[in-house]
Amino acid sequence: MIPLPENFETYSEARKKGFLKIMDMKRQVGKKVVGVFCSYTPVELISAANAIYVSLCGSGEEGISSAEKHLPGNLCPLIKSSYGLALSDACPYFYFSDMILAETTCDGKKKMYELMGRLKPTHVMQLPHNADSEAAEDLWLSEIYRAKEALEHTLHTAITEEALRTAIHQKNLERAAMVRLYEIGKLKPCPISGYELSTIIESTAFMFSGNQKLAAMESRAEELINEYEQSYKGKPSRPRILITGCPFDGVRDKVIKKIEALGAQVVAFENCSGPRTQQSLVDETINPYRALARRYLGINCSVMTPNTGRFEALETMIRDYQIDGVIEIILHCCHTYAIESQLVKEFVTEQRRLPFLSLTTDYSTSDSGQIATRIGAFLEMIDTIPR
Ligand code: BJ8
């Protein structure tokens, strides 16, 4: 694995640092905070309401036992830990949130929000699940207007079109910087571990100044391009892995770090926070509400049916990142990703003729040994295929 820089901050360290920032912003300037759980949340509305948004997705075992007092055990760990942290008052971000803005994505999340709504004002947007139809866009547009009203009502503010256009422009800049950084993975050999790359990018969720996020991503991208030119260019590459599937913050060490410790390199992420989602910008030339509806409905999550965009994204990324093997991460009891896995497997192995491994796991460490063994066997298979 490519060594981590001395000043490297893990995701949980970045998350903890963010607690203090948010507390200061709240106490000193009375900033309002909105908790979010999903890439479908049109966060520009929150910025336009002069509030900050923060991800409340649980990424550790903490909270799971509290959650199981109300929720079934056989439920996705992301949902359980998110709810458990809220219920047990163990998440400062939840504590500081003035409201929750959520969506009807998977069944587990949308039913959990009914319980969460008893703890905090929660507005749930009704997400259509067939993104390809005109009716879906119109429905989602009306949900975006409804979310605007809910934010205005709960936060006692008004969202102006000018503020929304400014927020859209800023977020587009952040997305473009994020994609540039992710695209360092296209370099062969890649000068950064996938563990570090994904940690840096996902940790920007706990920087609450858009300009600070931009600067952090742009300067790291520049450093990496220089490192590539000086020390990596022309050298052999390790087997290049693409990760697909569920959000993996809660299993980053168990899976991503392990893949790289065993000699391969994760260079591409076809999941919710990866470039597949971020490269689609909000159109700044049309009605901003319509533009938000269109952009967010285009996200390729398995809660959509059909979810053809995911296969288009896989095809492009496998080609552009020169992928040698695909590993899918499925969180326990995530039915939409688990069922779609069959189509992903067929696509990768039959159409792209690449090795494919699907790992189903949760946030515990009890299966770490088994996961490591399966990754090891998979990588041995890749090693025997000439690149
Ligand atoms: S856009 S991936 S963040 S829904 S893993 S809770 S789907 S049972 S997190 Fe997701 Fe939005 Fe889609 Fe992204 Fe349900 Fe599956 Fe759990 Fe999931």
Side-chain angles (χ1 to χ4, degrees):
M1 179 170 164
I2 295 179
L4 296 167
E6 268 173 27
N7 58 354
F8 176 76
E9 220 171 45
T10 64
Y11 181 78
S12 61
E13 284 164 351
R15 191 168 184 272
K16 272 187 202 141
K17 249 191 184 173
F19 295 160
L20 298 175
K21 290 184 218 157
I22 222 162
M23 189 173 75
D24 282 352
M25 288 168 92
K26 221 167 149 100
R27 291 199 173 143
Q28 287 170 14
V29 287
K31 203 75 173 164
K32 298 279 199 256
V33 179
V34 178
V36 300
F37 287 93
C38 180
S39 300
Y40 283 106
T41 314
V43 290
E44 291 87 343
L45 282 179
I46 300 171
S47 305
N50 196 25
I52 40 183
Y53 54 89
V54 64
S55 167
L56 299 180
C57 289
S59 58
E61 283 192 277
E62 206 191 350
I64 289 195
S65 57
S66 308
E68 286 178 352
K69 290 179 192 150
H70 293 178
L71 297 172
N74 59 345
L75 185 65
C76 162
L78 189 153
I79 301 173
K80 284 194 289 188
S81 85
S82 306
Y83 179 71
L85 288 171
L87 185 67
S88 57
D89 239 343
C91 172
Y93 291 120
F94 186 84
Y95 175 80
F96 285 122
S97 293
D98 295 282
M99 69 177 284
I100 306 299
L101 184 58
E103 306 75 21
T104 53
T105 50
C106 62
D107 286 353
K109 264 186 174 171
K110 73 184 179 205
K111 295 305 287 182
M112 178 274 277
Y113 295 139
E114 292 177 11
L115 303 185
M116 188 170 269
R118 303 187 302 182
L119 308 172
K120 205 52 98 174
T122 300
H123 177 83
V124 182
M125 301 173 73
Q126 301 294 318
L127 178 72
H129 289 172
N130 174 355
D132 298 336
S133 71
E134 233 176 76
E137 189 179 300
D138 287 344
L139 172 59
W140 190 229
L141 177 62
S142 66
E143 286 301 297
I144 287 186
Y145 281 119
R146 226 168 51 84
K148 169 187 181 282
E149 282 164 19
L151 287 163
E152 289 178 328
H153 175 77
T154 312
L155 305 181
H156 309 292
T157 186
I159 296 176
T160 64
E161 188 169 322
E162 193 194 347
L164 184 56
R165 286 190 185 277
T166 306
I168 287 174
H169 181 67
Q170 174 65 30
K171 189 68 193 165
N172 276 348
L173 293 178
E174 288 169 30
R175 287 196 183 100
M178 199 178 274
V179 170
R180 275 198 296 281
L181 188 48
Y182 268 125
E183 286 187 345
I184 295 291
K186 289 183 180 172
L187 297 173
K188 190 174 179 180
C190 178
I192 181 170
S193 66
Y195 180 79
E196 186 193 340
L197 185 64
S198 63
T199 304
I200 298 175
I201 294 177
E202 300 212 12
S203 299
T204 59
F206 306 111
M207 290 179 181
F208 303 108
S209 142
N211 289 338
Q212 194 196 354
K213 278 186 208 182
L214 268 179
M217 290 188 283
E218 281 169 356
S219 72
R220 190 66 183 119
E222 210 175 294
E223 276 169 19
L224 288 164
I225 290 170
N226 290 336
E227 279 173 37
Y228 170 76
E229 290 293 338
Q230 284 162 19
S231 319
Y232 287 84
K233 199 170 176 180
K235 304 242 171 89
S237 169
R238 299 159 192 237
R240 296 164 67 80
I241 303 298
L242 177 145
I243 298 291
T244 185
C246 296
F248 58 75
D249 288 329
V251 297
R252 191 192 312 275
D253 282 38
K254 190 162 62 172
V255 181
I256 311 292
K257 205 172 194 177
K258 187 46 83 176
I259 293 169
E260 299 193 313
L262 290 171
Q265 194 165 6
V266 175
V267 296
F269 302 90
E270 191 285 314
N271 70 350
C272 203
S273 54
R276 137 196 126 180
T277 299
Q278 302 301 336
Q279 66 200 2
S280 142
L281 303 183
V282 180
D283 187 343
E284 295 184 40
T285 65
I286 61 173
N287 173 294
Y289 294 95
R290 171 73 64 184
L292 286 177
R294 217 166 263 175
R295 187 267 165 194
Y296 280 93
L297 209 51
I299 293 173
N300 310 317
C301 172
S302 63
V303 297
M304 290 293 165
T305 177
N307 188 23
T308 43
R310 184 173 177 202
F311 300 91
E312 287 155 22
L314 276 170
E315 165 124 49
T316 316
M317 292 185 75
I318 286 172
R319 184 193 61 225
D320 294 352
Y321 288 77
Q322 303 179 64
I323 295 303
D324 299 309
V326 174
I327 298 184
E328 179 177 58
I329 299 173
I330 296 179
L331 295 179
H332 270 167
C333 303
C334 175
H335 299 318
T336 54
Y337 276 101
I339 294 169
E340 200 165 276
S341 177
Q342 179 60 25
L343 299 176
V344 175
K345 178 179 166 190
E346 288 169 14
F347 176 80
V348 173
T349 58
E350 293 169 20
Q351 293 192 37
R352 306 317 311 153
R353 303 238 165 247
L354 283 177
F356 173 77
L357 174 69
S358 183
L359 298 170
T360 299
T361 186
D362 62 12
Y363 291 175
S364 74
T365 48
S366 60
D367 61 351
S368 301
Q370 189 208 10
I371 295 273
T373 308
R374 293 191 61 206
I375 293 171
F378 179 72
L379 297 182
E380 270 177 31
M381 184 173 75
I382 292 184
D383 258 346
T384 61
I385 301 172
R387 283 192 304 282

